[in-house]
Amino acid sequence: MVAAPLAAVAFRAGGVRLSTPDLAALRFTLLQAGLSALISVALAVPVAKALARRRFPLRGLLITLMGAPFLLPVIVAVIGLITVFGRSGWVNAGLATLGLPGFSIYGLHGVVIAHVFLNLPLAVRMILQAWVSVPSERFRLAASLGFRPRDIARHIERPMLASVLPGALATVFAICLTSFAVALTLGGGPRATTLELAIYQAIRFEFDLGDAAGLSLIQTGIGAFAALLAWRLASAPGFGAGLDRALPLPAPAGWRRLADAGWLLLAAAFLLLPLLALILRGLPGLAELPPSLWGASLRSVLVALISTLVTVAAGLTLALGVARSRSRRMELNAVLPLAVSGLVLGTGLFLIARPFASPGQLALPVTVLVNAVMALPFVYRLLITDARALEADYGRLAASLDLQGVARLRYLTLPRLARPLGFAAGVAAALSMGDLGVIALFASGQEATLPLLVQQLMGAYRTEAAAAAALVLITLSFGLFWIFDAGGRHVQAR
Amino acid sequence: MRPMRPFLAACLASLPLAAAAETPVLTVMTYDSFTTEWGPGPAVEKAFEEVCGCDLRFVTGGDGAALLARLQLEGAATEADVVLGLDNNLTAQARATGLFAPHGEAAPTGLPVAFEDDLFLPWDWGWFAFVYDRTKTAMPPEDFRALGDSDLKIVIQDPRSSTPGLGLLMWVKAAYGDRAPEIWTGLSDNILTVTPGWSEAYGLFLGGEADMVLSYTTSPAYHRLAEKDDSKDWAEFAEGHYLQIEVAGILASSKQPELAKEFIAFTQSPAFQSVIPETNWMYPATEIALPEGFETHRPAKSLLLTADEALEARGPALAEWQASLGQ
């Protein structure tokens, strides 16, 4: 799915031209993606730890809400961030009242802040999931052996983190590799040129498809390298199976309690304030929404549901297959779509599909397909840890009982993977809702999805209506995410 | 039995399905915002279908540059008969594709400069300008140098991904030629950020992030007429203002050249032109009356590079832009 469109673009161009890429663009791309990945994951560890071992009112709601930034359409997220951190934003207004110098979000640090905002939620959830899938018996054993927090960190938490961090790093890195709107809008000028922008330039400005295919190949290659590296570094945790008893994790008191509370407050403020800003911005325009909003909403929800079904089915198959065979090539396949340029993917699909039907008829099917492919890496990444544990802990038992096919799926796989499956389905649905994707290349005017409508309103001076449509979009994607996520947790908790 | 036959035939002919199959379909490829419910598309479609006895169908894709890229991908296999929405910075490249046929119309006279092109016919136009908020900026700069010397923060668009961004590149080039890099260096500390497209930049300006934004002289008219808000204005620059001229062209591959020509002629009619100011927020190409309050002042001088000059200047101007702002 990734290779075919790329090949189509290259074929049309009569070959791939590996021109020396703009070295500055390559350097900036690697720098911002590397920093974004490191900082996102470094911040995610203490936040996930605090969430894993503390119990407090509304904890479940906080976990769900903190996932929201990841689900925002990029440009909407940027608007929310600028409302809070921008030149005339809340933070600067606060600093000015205190008589402190202002803070500028434009530059490399702004790009990194935005990427951390977008990807911290994903990193937290990946690490949190690894934390709660350590059987509680291990922590009880640690407690009965008189382990102090430092010993727990050494014997339980470090091996657990070693199994999950490389994958988390590679995933965030690959997402940030293809960054375009964030890097440009917050980067402050041509210094912030990324490879994706160079691809954009090659297709739109120079119509040089060979160059575009070459640049895209470099970009995908870097992503693949990161994925390979991650998988070499990741180790199997090997905690074994437990009795599934939901026991509280040891929650040390004292300064550690305060530190946990501090991390949670900081993360919640960082992630939720821009969301609040978007809600406040969207409310006044709700009355101005055009009638086409309803059709666009319905279309977006349908596209999201179908692509979720496709991608979850594919992701589960892939994850179970990898867990059973430990095949590494399959694993690579699951990470590649992250690092491929959306514009090249769209252009390639356009070239492939063009001889068979008119682009207008293909707009929605192609959008479903591309959304499913783009969400596959996340679904896979969210399922693989638990799929491996499932295979290691229950594979032999299931084999000895000759549990196969539908029965195995029904009695073993689905119940034990319900939590990650629900979360993965929620992420896939929300990503598909929010993605402008390739619809802009194919749409024929009548088939706008919600993100496209937001863009059209913004492009027609209707800023208030655009903010309101963005609010509807956020609400719907978050609603879909919540239904799937809560559903999964409910099933597994039974 | 015999008298039944003409009757049956009449019945069949009056069936909507059969009728639809006989109505010719004219496919017009245009940019995305043209066909939205608040754009010119719906009114244009209704007015043209009343006179042509045909079905007018729009296909859209992104903005002007995306249209050209798509045409280059599709070549002569394109389903479009007419393309509406390329601009003067793209016509040289569009001409080189060899996909267009002459339109055969006389050039419209509502433009501030003469624009003659046998393949591409103007249907609306506007001047690029920096738009500001009068309640916040009392004395706007009067040229690029004054802007560069000021403390004002501006938002511009990237020329690699946006047509207004490319327009600004040409504006500075047309006004300053070889001294363009000096101007860009002067502006570098004023540029708050560079956005991928017009809508992000304008959104940042309206949100109060920047003092000025690169847009059109007609942008304040939107706020004045549609929102009854008189606070926005554009700053007149002594160098003159660069023009964006949007053009239509007939594809040589069209299977309905007559109908396509009819549509091209229709773009010059009052029915089409009168819709433009308050839907596309640009100037109409013909000399028709502007809506009340649409224009308060106009630039004394217009700048325009010819299509070939623009194409030739593009690459070097982009390199200068990157070098001057990239440090």
Side-chain angles (χ1 to χ4, degrees):
Chain A
M1 262 311 293
V2 174
L6 227 148
V9 174
F11 179 73
R12 173 64 198 272
V16 177
R17 220 160 28 69
L18 285 178
S19 61
T20 32
D22 190 346
L23 277 181
L26 185 63
R27 205 172 50 219
F28 181 79
T29 307
L30 289 176
L31 181 67
Q32 59 85 7
L35 280 177
S36 304
L38 278 176
I39 296 176
S40 299
V41 172
L43 291 178
V45 172
V47 176
K49 183 175 190 172
L51 280 172
R53 67 185 184 187
R54 302 291 168 191
R55 291 292 176 274
F56 48 90
L58 300 180
R59 176 178 168 272
L61 183 69
L62 182 70
I63 295 180
T64 310
L65 271 180
M66 275 173 53
F70 180 64
L71 314 170
L72 291 178
V74 168
I75 194 64
V76 173
V78 171
I79 294 172
L81 278 173
I82 287 176
T83 314
V84 176
F85 296 105
R87 193 166 155 250
S88 55
W90 299 352
V91 169
N92 273 323
L95 289 174
T97 2
L98 296 175
L100 293 168
F103 156 86
S104 168
I105 195 178
Y106 303 96
L108 175 63
H109 60 283
V111 177
V112 173
I113 288 176
H115 284 155
V116 171
F117 172 75
L118 288 166
N119 295 306
L120 180 63
L122 180 72
V124 167
R125 284 299 290 257
M126 285 166 82
I127 298 170
L128 180 61
Q129 204 154 305
W131 224 293
V132 297
S133 42
V134 174
S136 54
E137 285 79 5
R138 306 298 168 269
F139 284 104
R140 292 197 75 188
L141 179 63
S144 71
L145 289 174
F147 274 20
R148 281 161 305 162
R150 205 180 46 198
D151 305 318
I152 292 181
R154 183 167 156 214
H155 292 287
I156 298 179
E157 291 169 349
R158 252 180 242 161
M160 182 273 294
L161 287 175
S163 75
V164 68
L165 289 191
L169 277 170
T171 307
V172 179
F173 180 80
I175 297 173
C176 298
L177 265 187
T178 56
S179 173
F180 163 55
V182 169
L184 195 54
T185 308
L186 293 174
R191 267 157 307 197
T193 296
T194 55
L195 282 180
E196 185 76 12
L197 182 63
I199 292 172
Y200 221 81
Q201 177 182 3
I203 292 188
R204 279 183 47 121
F205 202 84
E206 281 137 17
F207 197 67
D208 187 341
L209 293 181
D211 203 17
L215 286 167
S216 188
L217 212 59
I218 294 176
Q219 189 172 296
T220 317
I222 297 172
F225 179 73
L228 286 172
L229 196 68
W231 133 107
R232 281 205 66 105
L233 293 177
S235 56
F239 289 116
L243 294 175
D244 282 349
R245 280 176 303 178
L247 296 172
L249 264 52
W255 68 269
R256 287 192 177 83
R257 193 184 158 85
L258 273 179
D260 282 356
W263 278 113
L264 286 180
L265 272 177
L266 266 180
F270 176 57
L271 296 177
L272 300 184
L273 277 179
L275 278 182
L276 180 68
L278 288 171
I279 294 171
L280 292 179
R281 280 175 58 100
L283 287 177
L286 283 178
E288 286 178 42
L289 284 171
S292 54
L293 179 88
W294 304 115
S297 304
L298 186 68
R299 231 168 272 129
S300 286
V301 170
L302 281 178
V303 165
L305 288 178
I306 302 173
S307 50
T308 303
L309 192 70
V310 174
T311 197
V312 168
L316 184 61
T317 316
L318 199 62
L320 291 175
V322 171
R324 214 165 295 172
S325 70
R326 312 211 126 252
S327 148
R328 304 207 142 164
R329 207 175 322 134
M330 273 170 95
E331 169 144 25
L332 188 62
N333 286 345
V335 183
L336 278 188
L338 285 182
V340 75
S341 154
L343 191 64
V344 169
L345 195 67
T347 308
L349 283 173
F350 186 93
L351 283 172
I352 293 173
R354 188 67 193 85
F356 306 108
S358 91
Q361 294 165 326
L362 289 172
L364 290 179
V366 169
T367 306
V368 166
L369 195 62
V370 170
N371 286 350
V373 172
M374 293 305 219
L376 185 61
F378 301 107
V379 171
Y380 168 79
R381 183 65 51 208
L382 292 168
L383 289 177
I384 186 64
T385 317
D386 290 73
R388 283 215 177 101
L390 178 76
E391 188 57 35
D393 302 345
Y394 296 90
R396 275 161 300 168
L397 178 64
S400 74
L401 292 173
D402 199 19
L403 195 57
Q404 283 176 349
V406 179
R408 181 175 172 134
L409 196 66
R410 179 167 165 206
Y411 293 110
L412 177 64
T413 313
L414 290 186
R416 290 213 66 87
L417 291 184
R419 187 191 296 265
L421 266 178
F423 180 53
V427 166
L431 280 179
S432 174
M433 278 291 293
D435 191 32
L436 185 59
V438 292
I439 187 115
L441 270 180
F442 285 82
S444 59
Q446 286 82 36
E447 281 155 335
T449 54
L450 214 38
L452 188 59
L453 185 72
V454 172
Q455 203 188 40
Q456 288 174 343
L457 285 165
M458 272 178 77
Y461 295 101
R462 285 163 171 74
T463 320
E464 277 208 341
L471 180 58
V472 173
L473 171 60
I474 300 168
T475 315
L476 283 177
S477 1
F478 192 69
L480 278 180
F481 168 70
W482 183 79
I483 290 171
F484 281 116
D485 187 35
R489 279 194 280 174
H490 177 72
V491 169
Q492 189 150 358
R494 265 192 314 192
Chain B
M1 283 302 280
R2 191 163 286 175
M4 280 293 283
R5 285 226 174 130
F7 175 70
L8 244 165
C11 280
L12 278 177
S14 67
L15 281 174
L17 233 162
E22 282 166 23
T23 313
V25 177
L26 182 74
T27 307
V28 173
M29 186 186 279
T30 184
Y31 48 74
D32 204 43
S33 60
F34 190 89
T35 59
T36 54
E37 55 202 88
W38 49 85
V44 165
E45 184 175 355
K46 189 161 165 284
F48 187 62
E49 284 179 351
E50 270 169 18
V51 295
C52 73
C54 69
D55 180 14
L56 178 64
R57 220 161 53 81
F58 290 116
V59 285
T60 59
D63 63 354
L67 290 182
L68 184 57
R70 177 156 162 187
L71 275 179
Q72 283 172 295
L73 280 180
E74 295 188 317
T78 180
E79 59 187 331
D81 299 299
V82 172
V83 176
L84 197 68
L86 301 178
D87 74 8
N88 49 305
N89 285 323
L90 298 169
T91 51
Q93 213 179 340
R95 177 181 290 273
T97 63
L99 292 171
F100 289 89
H103 54 70
E105 290 285 318
T109 53
L111 279 70
V113 294
F115 186 92
E116 291 281 351
D117 195 312
D118 62 329
L119 297 185
F120 301 104
L121 188 69
W123 52 274
D124 79 1
W125 59 276
W127 282 290
F128 288 114
F130 284 95
V131 172
Y132 67 99
D133 189 326
R134 282 203 294 215
T135 59
K136 293 179 186 160
T137 310
M139 295 284 286
E142 289 174 350
D143 55 31
F144 277 108
R145 289 191 194 280
L147 177 58
D149 293 338
S150 74
D151 295 331
L152 295 170
K153 288 285 178 192
I154 60 172
V155 198
I156 61 170
Q157 298 86 357
D158 197 298
R160 292 166 289 183
S161 57
S162 142
T163 29
L166 184 56
L168 178 63
L169 202 64
M170 294 297 133
W171 185 2
V172 175
K173 198 76 204 166
Y176 286 95
D178 293 341
R179 287 179 299 135
E182 290 171 31
I183 297 299
W184 285 116
T185 311
L187 290 177
S188 63
D189 58 343
N190 298 91
I191 297 173
L192 180 70
T193 196
V194 181
T195 63
W198 176 88
S199 54
E200 295 91 354
Y202 209 79
L204 285 180
F205 164 69
L206 289 182
E209 278 295 285
D211 303 305
M212 299 181 109
V213 61
L214 175 71
S215 189
Y216 300 90
T217 64
T218 43
S219 301
Y222 173 81
H223 299 288
R224 214 162 35 236
L225 300 184
E227 294 180 338
K228 311 284 173 244
D229 168 13
D230 200 22
S231 64
K232 310 286 185 295
D233 205 348
W234 56 274
E236 178 156 3
F237 276 17
E239 296 94 339
H241 288 249
Y242 197 74
L243 284 168
Q244 180 174 36
I245 300 169
E246 298 197 281
V247 298
I250 300 175
L251 285 153
S253 58
S254 169
K255 292 186 181 65
Q256 311 184 72
E258 289 313 311
L259 200 53
K261 276 197 172 139
E262 204 180 314
F263 182 78
I264 290 279
F266 175 75
T267 64
Q268 308 294 305
S269 72
F272 182 103
Q273 290 285 310
S274 62
V275 176
I276 294 301
E278 287 184 272
T279 53
N280 226 26
W281 300 98
M282 295 284 270
Y283 281 99
T286 59
E287 293 172 74
I288 61 162
L290 293 170
E292 183 86 20
F294 187 76
E295 182 182 73
T296 51
H297 53 133
R298 46 165 74 195
K301 190 177 164 197
S302 300
L303 297 173
L304 184 66
L305 297 176
T306 66
D308 292 332
E309 285 168 353
L311 183 63
E312 207 177 307
R314 218 170 65 165
L318 181 68
E320 285 171 10
W321 180 81
Q322 280 175 293
S324 314
L325 298 183
Q327 288 127 24

